[in-house]
Protein backbone atom coordinates (compact mmCIF):
# COMPACT_ATOMS: atom_id res chain seq x y z
CA UNK A 1 0.00 0.00 0.00
CA UNK A 2 1.41 3.49 -0.82
CA UNK A 3 2.74 5.35 2.25
CA UNK A 4 0.01 8.01 2.39
CA UNK A 5 -2.85 5.53 2.04
CA UNK A 6 -1.27 3.29 4.66
CA UNK A 7 -0.92 6.22 7.05
CA UNK A 8 -4.59 7.09 6.63
CA UNK A 9 -5.61 3.47 7.16
CA UNK A 10 -3.60 3.15 10.40
CA UNK A 11 -4.45 6.59 11.75
CA UNK A 12 -7.27 5.54 14.06
CA UNK A 13 -5.08 3.04 15.90
CA UNK A 14 -2.59 5.75 16.80
CA UNK A 15 -5.17 8.26 18.04
CA UNK A 16 -4.74 7.21 21.70
CA UNK A 17 -3.07 4.54 23.84
CA UNK A 18 -6.51 3.09 24.62
CA UNK A 19 -7.29 2.73 20.93
CA UNK A 20 -3.87 1.22 20.18
CA UNK A 21 -4.27 -1.32 23.00
CA UNK A 22 -7.27 -2.77 21.20
CA UNK A 23 -4.84 -4.37 18.78
CA UNK A 24 -4.10 -6.85 21.57
CA UNK A 25 -6.01 -9.31 23.76
CA UNK A 26 -7.21 -8.24 27.21
CA UNK A 27 -4.37 -9.66 29.25
CA UNK A 28 -1.84 -7.72 27.13
CA UNK A 29 -3.89 -4.52 27.50
CA UNK A 30 -3.76 -4.90 31.28
CA UNK A 31 0.05 -4.89 31.17
CA UNK A 32 0.18 -1.76 29.06
CA UNK A 33 0.52 0.99 31.63
CA UNK A 34 3.47 -0.63 33.36
CA UNK A 35 5.30 -2.43 30.55
CA UNK A 36 4.64 -0.91 27.09
CA UNK A 37 5.87 2.45 25.79
CA UNK A 38 3.20 5.21 25.67
CA UNK A 39 2.51 6.42 22.11
CA UNK A 40 3.74 9.94 22.84
CA UNK A 41 7.08 8.56 24.04
CA UNK A 42 7.43 6.27 21.01
CA UNK A 43 6.79 9.19 18.66
CA UNK A 44 9.35 11.45 20.35
CA UNK A 45 11.98 8.67 20.56
CA UNK A 46 11.44 7.72 16.91
CA UNK A 47 11.88 11.36 15.89
CA UNK A 48 15.24 11.44 17.64
CA UNK A 49 16.50 7.99 16.59
CA UNK A 50 15.42 8.14 12.95
CA UNK A 51 16.86 11.56 12.27
CA UNK A 52 18.14 10.34 8.88
CA UNK A 53 16.46 8.22 6.21
CA UNK A 54 17.47 4.58 5.96
CA UNK A 55 18.78 4.10 9.50
CA UNK A 56 18.26 0.81 11.36
CA UNK A 57 16.95 1.16 14.90
CA UNK A 58 16.87 -1.70 17.43
CA UNK A 59 14.43 -1.89 20.36
CA UNK A 60 16.19 -4.02 23.00
CA UNK A 61 13.36 -6.03 24.54
CA UNK A 62 10.48 -5.16 22.23
CA UNK A 63 7.56 -6.76 24.12
CA UNK A 64 4.38 -6.67 22.01
CA UNK A 65 6.03 -4.23 19.62
CA UNK A 66 4.47 -0.97 20.70
CA UNK A 67 7.61 1.14 20.25
CA UNK A 68 8.54 -0.43 16.90
CA UNK A 69 5.00 -0.26 15.49
CA UNK A 70 4.52 3.35 16.45
CA UNK A 71 8.03 4.35 15.32
CA UNK A 72 7.58 2.57 11.97
CA UNK A 73 4.27 4.37 11.46
CA UNK A 74 5.74 7.82 12.13
CA UNK A 75 9.07 7.21 10.39
CA UNK A 76 8.42 5.23 7.19
CA UNK A 77 11.92 5.93 5.83
CA UNK A 78 13.70 4.15 8.70
CA UNK A 79 13.69 0.47 9.62
CA UNK A 80 12.87 -0.72 13.10
CA UNK A 81 13.88 -4.05 14.66
CA UNK A 82 12.57 -5.47 17.91
CA UNK A 83 14.26 -8.33 19.73
CA UNK A 84 12.13 -10.08 22.35
CA UNK A 85 12.83 -13.17 24.45
CA UNK A 86 9.16 -14.18 24.97
CA UNK A 87 7.78 -15.94 21.91
CA UNK A 88 4.18 -15.25 22.90
CA UNK A 89 4.80 -11.48 22.87
CA UNK A 90 6.39 -11.74 19.43
CA UNK A 91 3.21 -13.43 18.17
CA UNK A 92 1.13 -10.48 19.42
CA UNK A 93 3.58 -8.05 17.84
CA UNK A 94 3.37 -9.84 14.47
CA UNK A 95 -0.44 -9.89 14.62
CA UNK A 96 -0.53 -6.14 15.29
CA UNK A 97 1.93 -5.52 12.44
CA UNK A 98 -0.39 -7.43 10.12
CA UNK A 99 -3.42 -5.35 11.12
CA UNK A 100 -1.51 -2.08 10.72
CA UNK A 101 -0.02 -3.18 7.37
CA UNK A 102 3.37 -1.70 8.18
CA UNK A 103 6.39 -3.14 6.43
CA UNK A 104 9.40 -1.20 7.72
CA UNK A 105 9.77 -3.23 10.93
CA UNK A 106 10.89 -6.71 11.90
CA UNK A 107 10.55 -8.75 15.07
CA UNK A 108 13.20 -11.22 16.20
CA UNK A 109 12.44 -13.87 18.81
CA UNK A 110 15.49 -14.39 21.03
CA UNK A 111 17.78 -12.94 23.62
CA UNK A 112 19.37 -9.59 22.72
CA UNK A 113 22.77 -11.14 23.61
CA UNK A 114 22.45 -13.25 20.43
CA UNK A 115 22.42 -10.20 18.14
CA UNK A 116 25.26 -8.58 16.27
CA UNK A 117 25.04 -4.93 17.30
CA UNK A 118 27.08 -3.89 14.26
CA UNK A 119 23.92 -4.47 12.20
CA UNK A 120 22.07 -1.57 13.85
CA UNK A 121 22.67 2.19 13.89
CA UNK A 122 20.65 3.45 16.85
CA UNK A 123 18.93 1.97 19.92
CA UNK A 124 15.82 2.27 22.07
CA UNK A 125 15.78 0.90 25.61
CA UNK A 126 12.81 0.84 28.02
CA UNK A 127 14.47 -0.55 31.13
CA UNK A 128 13.98 -4.10 29.89
CA UNK A 129 16.00 -5.88 32.58
CA UNK A 130 14.21 -4.28 35.53
CA UNK A 131 11.85 -7.26 35.96
CA UNK A 132 14.86 -9.21 37.25
CA UNK A 133 14.95 -7.17 40.44
CA UNK A 134 13.07 -8.36 43.52
CA UNK A 135 9.80 -6.56 44.22
CA UNK A 136 9.23 -5.33 40.66
CA UNK A 137 6.13 -6.02 38.53
CA UNK A 138 6.58 -9.03 36.24
CA UNK A 139 5.04 -9.58 32.80
CA UNK A 140 4.47 -13.29 33.54
CA UNK A 141 6.14 -16.28 35.19
CA UNK A 142 7.49 -17.83 31.97
CA UNK A 143 11.15 -16.91 32.60
CA UNK A 144 13.65 -16.93 35.46
CA UNK A 145 14.48 -13.67 37.20
CA UNK A 146 17.58 -12.82 39.20
CA UNK A 147 19.85 -9.97 40.25
CA UNK A 148 22.68 -11.86 38.48
CA UNK A 149 20.79 -11.72 35.18
CA UNK A 150 20.08 -8.02 35.70
CA UNK A 151 23.79 -7.33 36.20
CA UNK A 152 24.86 -9.61 33.36
CA UNK A 153 22.46 -8.02 30.83
CA UNK A 154 23.36 -4.49 31.88
CA UNK A 155 27.07 -5.18 31.55
CA UNK A 156 26.54 -6.90 28.20
CA UNK A 157 24.53 -4.00 26.81
CA UNK A 158 27.04 -1.48 28.18
CA UNK A 159 29.86 -3.24 26.30
CA UNK A 160 27.87 -3.38 23.07
CA UNK A 161 26.97 0.30 23.23
CA UNK A 162 30.55 1.19 24.13
CA UNK A 163 31.80 -0.44 20.91
CA UNK A 164 29.47 1.55 18.67
CA UNK A 165 30.93 4.44 16.65
CA UNK A 166 30.64 8.08 17.48
CA UNK A 167 27.28 9.49 16.39
CA UNK A 168 25.32 6.46 17.65
CA UNK A 169 22.00 7.53 19.14
CA UNK A 170 20.32 6.01 22.16
CA UNK A 171 16.90 6.77 23.65
CA UNK A 172 16.26 5.49 27.18
CA UNK A 173 12.91 5.46 28.98
CA UNK A 174 12.76 4.89 32.76
CA UNK A 175 16.40 3.82 32.73
CA UNK A 176 18.60 3.56 35.81
CA UNK A 177 21.43 4.31 33.34
CA UNK A 178 23.65 1.39 34.45
CA UNK A 179 23.82 0.34 30.79
CA UNK A 180 24.90 3.73 29.38
CA UNK A 181 28.70 4.10 28.84
CA UNK A 182 30.27 7.47 29.70
CA UNK A 183 30.93 8.19 25.99
CA UNK A 184 27.19 8.84 25.52
CA UNK A 185 26.15 12.42 26.26
CA UNK A 186 22.64 13.57 27.05
CA UNK A 187 21.36 15.84 24.28
CA UNK A 188 17.71 15.97 25.27
CA UNK A 189 15.36 15.20 28.14
CA UNK A 190 11.59 14.79 27.89
CA UNK A 191 8.66 13.46 29.90
CA UNK A 192 9.87 14.99 33.18
CA UNK A 193 13.25 13.30 32.91
CA UNK A 194 11.96 9.78 32.15
CA UNK A 195 12.87 9.90 28.46
CA UNK A 196 16.48 10.74 27.65
CA UNK A 197 18.24 11.19 24.32
CA UNK A 198 21.93 10.38 24.09
CA UNK A 199 24.59 10.63 21.36
CA UNK A 200 27.97 8.96 21.49
CA UNK A 201 30.81 11.46 21.08
C1 LIG B 1 9.46 -2.93 29.61
S1 LIG B 1 9.14 -4.07 28.31
C2 LIG B 1 9.26 -2.93 26.96
C3 LIG B 1 8.62 -3.40 25.68
C4 LIG B 1 8.79 -2.50 24.47
N1 LIG B 1 10.18 -2.08 24.29
C5 LIG B 1 7.94 -1.26 24.58
O1 LIG B 1 8.55 -0.24 24.87
O2 LIG B 1 6.73 -1.31 24.43
C6 LIG B 1 10.69 -4.98 28.24
C7 LIG B 1 10.70 -6.23 27.40
O3 LIG B 1 12.06 -6.66 27.31
C8 LIG B 1 12.06 -8.08 27.23
N2 LIG B 1 13.40 -8.54 27.62
C9 LIG B 1 13.97 -8.47 28.85
N3 LIG B 1 15.21 -9.00 28.84
C10 LIG B 1 15.43 -9.42 27.55
C11 LIG B 1 16.52 -10.06 26.91
N4 LIG B 1 17.63 -10.38 27.59
N5 LIG B 1 16.44 -10.33 25.59
C12 LIG B 1 15.30 -10.03 24.89
N6 LIG B 1 14.22 -9.46 25.47
C13 LIG B 1 14.28 -9.14 26.78
C14 LIG B 1 10.96 -8.49 28.18
O4 LIG B 1 10.52 -9.81 27.91
C15 LIG B 1 9.90 -7.41 27.93
O5 LIG B 1 8.98 -7.83 26.98
Amino acid sequence: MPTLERKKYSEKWFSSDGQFNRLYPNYIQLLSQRHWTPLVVARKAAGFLAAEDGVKVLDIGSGVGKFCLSAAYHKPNARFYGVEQRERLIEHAEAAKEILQLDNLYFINGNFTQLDFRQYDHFYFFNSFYENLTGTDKIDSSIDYSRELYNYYNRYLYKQLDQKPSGTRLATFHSLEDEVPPGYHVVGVEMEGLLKFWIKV
Side-chain angles (χ1 to χ4, degrees):
M1 201 188 284
T3 306
L4 263 183
E5 265 180 55
R6 192 175 57 196
K7 199 153 182 156
K8 191 102 199 110
Y9 166 82
S10 305
E11 218 163 39
K12 70 167 185 184
W13 295 107
F14 292 96
S15 60
S16 69
D17 286 291
Q19 187 63 34
F20 187 88
N21 282 345
R22 291 185 195 184
L23 289 164
Y24 303 105
N26 231 1
Y27 85 96
I28 293 292
Q29 295 185 25
L30 293 172
L31 293 166
S32 178
Q33 208 177 346
R34 182 69 66 175
H35 295 284
W36 320 134
T37 298
L39 289 179
V40 60
V41 171
R43 187 170 46 75
K44 285 173 188 284
F48 170 69
L49 295 170
E52 290 160 26
D53 285 356
V55 292
K56 293 168 88 175
V57 176
L58 175 68
D59 179 9
I60 302 151
S62 53
V64 291
K66 196 169 171 191
F67 168 75
C68 286
L69 291 159
S70 178
Y73 169 72
H74 289 293
K75 289 285 179 184
N77 295 333
R79 278 177 286 169
F80 296 88
Y81 297 78
V83 60
E84 169 56 50
Q85 61 186 347
R86 291 173 161 103
E87 192 176 1
R88 203 154 56 130
L89 301 188
I90 289 277
E91 285 164 13
H92 292 307
E94 290 286 3
K97 175 181 167 182
E98 189 74 24
I99 295 168
L100 295 172
Q101 300 194 18
L102 294 166
D103 53 16
N104 55 325
L105 75 161
Y106 312 87
F107 294 111
I108 305 155
N109 182 205
N111 200 297
F112 85 99
T113 55
Q114 298 165 320
L115 296 188
D116 178 354
F117 271 56
R118 288 172 301 186
Q119 305 288 319
Y120 308 95
D121 301 303
H122 306 302
F123 302 89
Y124 176 73
F125 184 65
F126 177 5
N127 208 7
S128 295
F129 316 138
Y130 194 60
E131 278 192 285
N132 282 293
L133 299 180
T134 312
T136 56
D137 283 323
K138 318 291 186 213
I139 291 175
D140 59 30
S141 54
S142 70
I143 56 168
D144 293 330
Y145 301 103
S146 70
R147 161 66 76 168
E148 288 70 33
L149 265 182
Y150 177 81
N151 291 337
Y152 171 70
Y153 287 150
N154 269 323
R155 275 197 300 266
Y156 192 96
L157 180 53
Y158 179 104
K159 272 193 207 144
Q160 297 302 317
L161 292 175
D162 208 24
Q163 286 167 21
K164 294 299 297 175
S166 131
T168 300
R169 290 176 177 230
L170 169 69
T172 57
F173 185 49
H174 278 279
S175 166
L176 303 179
E177 299 176 18
D178 297 327
E179 73 289 350
V180 185
Y184 286 77
H185 289 192
V186 175
V187 294
V189 177
E190 299 256 8
M191 311 300 291
E192 297 175 344
L194 295 176
L195 176 63
K196 285 193 181 172
F197 300 143
W198 312 74
I199 297 183
K200 189 170 184 208
V201 289

